[in-house]
Amino acid sequence: MQTIDLEAEGLRHLNATLHAQSQETNQTAWEVINPRGSHAIACGLDAPIEVAVKGSTGYYCAGMNKQATVRVHGSAGPGVAENMMSGMVVIDGDASQYAGATGHGGTLVIKGNASSRCGISMKGIDIVVHGNVGHMSAFMAQSGNLVVCGDAGDALGDSIYEARLFVRGSVKSLGADCIEKEMRPEHLEILADLLEKGDCDAKPEEFKRYGSARKLYNFNIDNAY
Amino acid sequence: MCGIVGLFLKDKTLEPQLGSMLTDMLITMTDRGPDSAGIAIYGDGDRNTEKLTVQSDTPDTSFDGLDTRLSDVLGVSVSIETKDTHAVLELPEGKIEAARDALAEIDGGIRVMSVGDIIEIYKEVGLPKDVAARFEVSKMSGSHGIGHTRMATESAVTTMGAHPFNTGSDQCLVHNGSLSNHNSLRRKLRREGVRIETENDSEVAAAYLTWKMQNGATLGEALQDSLDDLDGFFTFVVGTKDGFGVVRDPIACKPAVMAETDEYVAFGSEYRALVNLPGIEDARVWEPEPATVYFWNH
């Protein structure tokens, strides 16, 4: 285990050291201490390493992640795992707004609640939230899966393209062109796999599925103001 | 972008440290707002006097003998304590309006920062650490306080454009965001007789709350009404003589983090601002919900 004290060594040193790890690195376990809400911790990683952040983080933790597993032992500020490509990011606490925004791949697990705009413009990422998500989650979501074990806020899936949204609790309101859809066996299978990856013991049968009504795909004069 | 910090103490033994805790919080928010900074402190006050905190760009000439001149005009005793470009004038109750008029006559370069029984507002252009040092904020004690680091968007970088804004006795407001209906609301409030001194959008929000409270609303009710009447982006933190409130607009894109323990309630634009507070590891830390009013009273 390699330990980096962020307060003593600084953000550039931390991220440069993690970026220097190659595919074949044998230093696969890293620990970051004293994060103290700093920005851009463990951003842009591209190696099969595991990074444990011992505390809460600020803006853009684990952004653009590839391959790496980043675990935040605390809560995360805005934009955690933004534009993630692959790998895994786990937040033990809560996540602030736009968690997992624009993510292309990988898995983001939030053990607490996520606030507004979780998974906005998601493009293939899987997001598993153990608690609730705030308003405008999965706004313009294009691909991937958002699993919410608690409740969803206003305007879930507004202007959604093709992502799958699974919610166990209540949905305060659905956004434009987002509808409840039939839960078929293949969806239960996908959901069971996501719940297992997200270390969540909820049962797939307890969820409802939401997705696109596909009414905004083509120009319709009735949609114009 | 702007930075907000706030601290409302429940534990009286922490009161001597209010200024130093707020200063530390304020400086962590420097990169959110390096233009100017300000702080409102709710400290001690004599029961029979009121405080008028004023500012001048030429403090040596403006404040020299100001207490005597004011005393002569008003016919009451006036004390003055000068701190850099600011001075706190203490007057007997009920003399504030007369004093404001007299000040305008005596020296047009003197600007009023705050009015109230206990509030003092210090604000200037410059880096937060320099502003805090000039006024020795870290030595101040009090029951609650609010600080702001400004990155200007809606009006010029001036002392008068810095936050907090005080538009009613012992009231103050700081704002992160931008309002889009401030011009029409300013006209309306001025017609109602509310004093608004700048072209700044945030001052209008402060004046709006003052107007609501003058018409019988509680702080909580005034904040609730602001959700209907103010258009734009906002996270507000407000103070009254014995209260502390927070509200965010329904879109809630301006960040906010709160922490509460048995000793205090704290607000920060980011968690970074809260990390040095005592017992933060075990505090209840949460993000205030959109369009939801939070307030605490002593």
Side-chain angles (χ1 to χ4, degrees):
Chain A
M1 170 84 76
Q2 318 287 312
T3 298
I4 296 182
D5 182 341
L6 185 61
E7 206 180 7
E9 305 191 60
L11 183 69
R12 289 286 169 89
H13 172 79
L14 166 71
N15 282 341
T17 304
L18 296 177
H19 293 167
Q21 304 307 310
S22 67
Q23 291 296 323
E24 293 80 33
T25 182
N26 55 14
Q27 296 181 328
T28 55
W30 296 80
E31 182 182 64
V32 181
I33 58 169
N34 287 319
R36 296 166 63 82
S38 300
H39 301 179
I41 293 172
C43 260
L45 306 189
D46 188 7
I49 56 175
E50 290 190 16
V51 180
V53 183
K54 307 295 260 186
S56 293
T57 61
Y59 280 88
Y60 307 126
C61 177
M64 302 175 283
N65 187 57
K66 268 184 174 171
Q67 303 189 69
T69 297
V70 178
R71 183 171 196 131
V72 177
H73 295 260
S75 291
V80 67
E82 189 172 62
N83 212 58
M84 176 152 65
M85 303 304 284
S86 65
M88 183 144 180
V89 175
V90 181
I91 312 301
D92 281 347
D94 298 331
S96 185
Q97 53 180 329
Y98 48 95
T102 77
H104 288 252
T107 306
L108 168 63
V109 180
I110 297 161
K111 297 275 178 100
N113 300 315
S115 82
S116 60
R117 295 171 276 272
C118 180
I120 182 172
S121 195
M122 53 195 279
K123 296 175 173 71
I125 190 175
D126 291 328
I127 304 175
V128 181
V129 182
H130 287 220
N132 308 326
V133 296
H135 65 274
M136 288 301 237
S137 288
F139 175 57
M140 293 188 85
Q142 289 145 60
S143 171
N145 299 286
L146 172 64
V147 180
V148 182
C149 300
D151 303 331
D154 271 320
L156 176 72
D158 191 279
S159 306
I160 186 172
Y161 292 79
E162 285 305 318
R164 296 183 202 95
L165 314 180
F166 300 102
V167 182
R168 182 163 67 162
S170 65
V171 174
K172 201 165 175 197
S173 67
L174 290 171
D177 212 34
C178 185
I179 54 168
E180 186 180 340
K181 293 189 155 184
E182 178 195 8
M183 185 78 95
R184 297 196 297 267
E186 67 263 37
H187 301 124
L188 290 170
E189 213 170 292
I190 291 166
L191 185 51
D193 181 47
L194 290 166
L195 289 167
E196 195 187 328
K197 270 205 275 187
D199 191 23
C200 184
D201 53 14
K203 293 179 178 51
E205 296 76 22
E206 298 165 349
F207 288 76
K208 286 179 177 170
R209 179 170 75 102
Y210 303 87
S212 176
R214 302 189 177 106
K215 296 239 171 85
L216 293 177
Y217 271 50
N218 301 300
F219 180 72
N220 179 349
I221 189 63
D222 293 334
N223 292 335
Y225 282 107
Chain B
M1 198 155 66
C2 287
I4 298 177
V5 297
L7 200 50
F8 179 83
L9 299 178
K10 301 182 194 173
D11 178 357
K12 280 191 172 302
T13 62
L14 283 175
E15 289 188 2
Q17 296 166 53
L18 180 77
S20 64
M21 290 196 284
L22 265 177
T23 300
D24 180 77
M25 294 165 78
L26 189 76
I27 291 170
T28 60
M29 291 292 98
T30 297
D31 48 10
R32 295 192 67 86
D35 291 343
S36 36
I39 202 142
I41 292 268
Y42 291 86
D44 291 332
D46 189 315
R47 198 170 291 182
N48 302 314
T49 62
E50 285 183 274
K51 289 181 183 179
L52 188 61
T53 307
V54 294
Q55 185 270 357
S56 168
D57 290 339
T58 53
D60 290 346
T61 49
S62 295
F63 299 152
D64 183 32
L66 182 64
D67 47 346
T68 322
R69 273 181 285 168
L70 208 50
S71 181
D72 289 346
V73 177
L74 300 175
V76 295
S77 71
V78 178
S79 71
I80 186 166
E81 192 185 345
T82 306
K83 276 183 189 154
D84 197 76
T85 54
H86 286 45
V88 181
L89 298 160
E90 251 185 279
L91 311 105
E93 238 178 336
K95 290 288 176 192
I96 291 290
E97 279 309 310
R100 287 184 90 142
D101 294 344
L103 281 173
E105 291 283 318
I106 292 169
D107 184 343
I110 292 177
R111 280 87 67 95
V112 174
M113 299 289 101
S114 67
V115 168
D117 292 347
I118 56 172
I119 193 173
E120 293 173 19
I121 288 180
Y122 300 89
K123 57 187 188 181
E124 271 302 353
V125 173
L127 285 174
K129 74 173 168 50
D130 297 333
V131 173
R134 284 167 73 174
F135 302 115
E136 298 182 312
V137 175
S138 61
K139 290 185 185 162
M140 295 178 188
S141 65
S143 55
H144 52 305
I146 295 170
H148 187 268
T149 63
R150 181 171 188 230
M151 189 178 283
T153 56
E154 305 296 303
S155 73
V157 178
T158 60
T159 305
M160 290 302 277
H163 304 218
F165 288 98
N166 163 268
T167 47
S169 184
D170 281 321
Q171 292 166 15
C172 79
L173 172 142
V174 298
H175 174 204
N176 178 15
S178 55
L179 301 179
S180 46
N181 65 338
H182 64 100
N183 282 324
S184 59
L185 194 55
R186 185 185 295 105
R187 283 193 295 274
K188 177 182 164 177
L189 291 168
R190 278 183 173 153
R191 276 201 303 276
E192 297 284 340
V194 181
R195 186 199 296 261
I196 299 175
E197 305 207 32
T198 73
E199 294 307 300
N200 184 283
D201 58 331
S202 311
E203 190 190 11
V204 175
Y208 170 84
L209 296 178
T210 298
W211 175 66
K212 279 280 168 185
M213 287 190 273
Q214 275 169 359
N215 287 287
T218 62
L219 172 62
E221 287 163 351
L223 289 171
Q224 188 65 44
D225 290 346
S226 74
L227 289 164
D228 293 328
D229 292 337
L230 299 179
D231 185 23
F233 296 111
F234 54 87
T235 290
F236 294 136
V237 178
V238 299
T240 62
K241 190 172 181 179
D242 57 0
F244 180 81
V246 173
V247 69
R248 304 173 78 197
D249 69 78
I251 307 289
C253 61
K254 298 299 176 187
V257 181
M258 300 208 64
E260 185 166 12
T261 69
D262 290 341
E263 283 77 43
Y264 58 81
V265 177
F267 179 97
S269 289
E270 299 178 32
Y271 179 72
R272 278 190 300 158
L274 311 178
V275 292
N276 286 333
L277 291 173
I280 189 69
E281 304 78 20
D282 303 314
R284 182 170 84 92
V285 177
W286 80 102
E287 192 170 293
E289 294 282 328
T292 303
V293 172
Y294 298 82
F295 65 98
W296 290 263
N297 269 96
H298 273 131

